[in-house]
PDB file of all heavy atoms in Angstrom:
ATOM      1  N   TYR B  45      -5.012  -7.748  25.033  1.00 96.00           N
ATOM      2  CA  TYR B  45      -6.318  -8.369  24.837  1.00 96.00           C
ATOM      3  C   TYR B  45      -6.185  -9.374  23.699  1.00 96.00           C
ATOM      4  O   TYR B  45      -5.091  -9.568  23.161  1.00 96.00           O
ATOM      5  CB  TYR B  45      -7.363  -7.311  24.455  1.00 96.00           C
ATOM      6  CG  TYR B  45      -7.932  -6.531  25.609  1.00 96.00           C
ATOM      7  CD1 TYR B  45      -7.630  -5.189  25.791  1.00 96.00           C
ATOM      8  CD2 TYR B  45      -8.801  -7.142  26.511  1.00 96.00           C
ATOM      9  CE1 TYR B  45      -8.163  -4.465  26.846  1.00 96.00           C
ATOM     10  CE2 TYR B  45      -9.342  -6.420  27.570  1.00 96.00           C
ATOM     11  CZ  TYR B  45      -9.015  -5.091  27.729  1.00 96.00           C
ATOM     12  OH  TYR B  45      -9.556  -4.385  28.771  1.00 96.00           O
ATOM     13  N   THR B  46      -7.292  -9.977  23.324  1.00 96.00           N
ATOM     14  CA  THR B  46      -7.270 -10.820  22.122  1.00 96.00           C
ATOM     15  C   THR B  46      -7.948 -10.063  20.981  1.00 96.00           C
ATOM     16  O   THR B  46      -8.727  -9.132  21.216  1.00 96.00           O
ATOM     17  CB  THR B  46      -7.996 -12.151  22.358  1.00 96.00           C
ATOM     18  OG1 THR B  46      -9.276 -11.878  22.891  1.00 96.00           O
ATOM     19  CG2 THR B  46      -7.197 -13.033  23.301  1.00 96.00           C
ATOM     20  N   PRO B  48     -10.443 -10.296  18.812  1.00 97.00           N
ATOM     21  CA  PRO B  48     -11.859  -9.965  18.567  1.00 97.00           C
ATOM     22  C   PRO B  48     -12.386  -8.742  19.312  1.00 97.00           C
ATOM     23  O   PRO B  48     -13.317  -8.103  18.827  1.00 97.00           O
ATOM     24  CB  PRO B  48     -12.588 -11.239  19.033  1.00 97.00           C
ATOM     25  CG  PRO B  48     -11.604 -12.308  18.832  1.00 97.00           C
ATOM     26  CD  PRO B  48     -10.279 -11.709  19.169  1.00 97.00           C
TER      27      PRO B  48
ATOM     28  P    DC D   9     -12.786  -6.334  28.981  1.00 50.21           P
ATOM     29  OP1  DC D   9     -11.672  -6.003  29.900  1.00 50.21           O
ATOM     30  OP2  DC D   9     -13.137  -5.394  27.881  1.00 50.21           O
ATOM     31  O5'  DC D   9     -12.490  -7.761  28.359  1.00 50.21           O
ATOM     32  C5'  DC D   9     -12.243  -8.859  29.249  1.00 50.21           C
ATOM     33  C4'  DC D   9     -12.330 -10.173  28.516  1.00 50.21           C
ATOM     34  O4'  DC D   9     -13.655 -10.387  28.012  1.00 50.21           O
ATOM     35  C3'  DC D   9     -11.450 -10.286  27.271  1.00 50.21           C
ATOM     36  O3'  DC D   9     -10.217 -10.917  27.646  1.00 50.21           O
ATOM     37  C2'  DC D   9     -12.256 -11.164  26.318  1.00 50.21           C
ATOM     38  C1'  DC D   9     -13.550 -11.427  27.073  1.00 50.21           C
ATOM     39  N1   DC D   9     -14.764 -11.407  26.219  1.00 50.21           N
ATOM     40  C2   DC D   9     -15.451 -12.604  26.007  1.00 50.21           C
ATOM     41  O2   DC D   9     -15.040 -13.638  26.535  1.00 50.21           O
ATOM     42  N3   DC D   9     -16.565 -12.614  25.229  1.00 50.21           N
ATOM     43  C4   DC D   9     -16.989 -11.466  24.675  1.00 50.21           C
ATOM     44  N4   DC D   9     -18.087 -11.508  23.925  1.00 50.21           N
ATOM     45  C5   DC D   9     -16.309 -10.232  24.887  1.00 50.21           C
ATOM     46  C6   DC D   9     -15.210 -10.247  25.651  1.00 50.21           C
ATOM     47  P    DT D  10      -9.194 -11.413  26.524  1.00 50.21           P
ATOM     48  OP1  DT D  10      -7.845 -11.450  27.142  1.00 50.21           O
ATOM     49  OP2  DT D  10      -9.417 -10.646  25.283  1.00 50.21           O
ATOM     50  O5'  DT D  10      -9.673 -12.907  26.305  1.00 50.21           O
ATOM     51  C5'  DT D  10     -10.021 -13.711  27.437  1.00 50.21           C
ATOM     52  C4'  DT D  10     -10.382 -15.121  26.987  1.00 50.21           C
ATOM     53  O4'  DT D  10     -11.715 -15.121  26.413  1.00 50.21           O
ATOM     54  C3'  DT D  10      -9.449 -15.685  25.920  1.00 50.21           C
ATOM     55  O3'  DT D  10      -9.043 -16.999  26.262  1.00 50.21           O
ATOM     56  C2'  DT D  10     -10.264 -15.661  24.649  1.00 50.21           C
ATOM     57  C1'  DT D  10     -11.696 -15.746  25.141  1.00 50.21           C
ATOM     58  N1   DT D  10     -12.631 -15.004  24.252  1.00 50.21           N
ATOM     59  C2   DT D  10     -13.717 -15.654  23.706  1.00 50.21           C
ATOM     60  O2   DT D  10     -13.962 -16.832  23.924  1.00 50.21           O
ATOM     61  N3   DT D  10     -14.510 -14.871  22.906  1.00 50.21           N
ATOM     62  C4   DT D  10     -14.331 -13.537  22.600  1.00 50.21           C
ATOM     63  O4   DT D  10     -15.110 -12.950  21.868  1.00 50.21           O
ATOM     64  C5   DT D  10     -13.174 -12.917  23.196  1.00 50.21           C
ATOM     65  C7   DT D  10     -12.871 -11.475  22.921  1.00 50.21           C
ATOM     66  C6   DT D  10     -12.385 -13.665  23.982  1.00 50.21           C
ATOM     67  P    DT D  11      -7.901 -17.694  25.384  1.00 50.21           P
ATOM     68  OP1  DT D  11      -6.931 -18.301  26.316  1.00 50.21           O
ATOM     69  OP2  DT D  11      -7.438 -16.735  24.355  1.00 50.21           O
ATOM     70  O5'  DT D  11      -8.697 -18.862  24.640  1.00 50.21           O
ATOM     71  C5'  DT D  11      -9.655 -19.646  25.367  1.00 50.21           C
ATOM     72  C4'  DT D  11     -10.497 -20.481  24.407  1.00 50.21           C
ATOM     73  O4'  DT D  11     -11.439 -19.625  23.716  1.00 50.21           O
ATOM     74  C3'  DT D  11      -9.699 -21.205  23.310  1.00 50.21           C
ATOM     75  O3'  DT D  11     -10.168 -22.546  23.204  1.00 50.21           O
ATOM     76  C2'  DT D  11      -9.984 -20.396  22.052  1.00 50.21           C
ATOM     77  C1'  DT D  11     -11.383 -19.883  22.325  1.00 50.21           C
ATOM     78  N1   DT D  11     -11.722 -18.605  21.640  1.00 50.21           N
ATOM     79  C2   DT D  11     -12.905 -18.518  20.927  1.00 50.21           C
ATOM     80  O2   DT D  11     -13.695 -19.439  20.816  1.00 50.21           O
ATOM     81  N3   DT D  11     -13.131 -17.286  20.350  1.00 50.21           N
ATOM     82  C4   DT D  11     -12.310 -16.171  20.424  1.00 50.21           C
ATOM     83  O4   DT D  11     -12.626 -15.134  19.861  1.00 50.21           O
ATOM     84  C5   DT D  11     -11.093 -16.340  21.176  1.00 50.21           C
ATOM     85  C7   DT D  11     -10.139 -15.190  21.306  1.00 50.21           C
ATOM     86  C6   DT D  11     -10.844 -17.530  21.746  1.00 50.21           C
TER      87       DT D  11
END
Side-chain angles (χ1 to χ4, degrees):
Chain B
Y45 279 110
T46 51

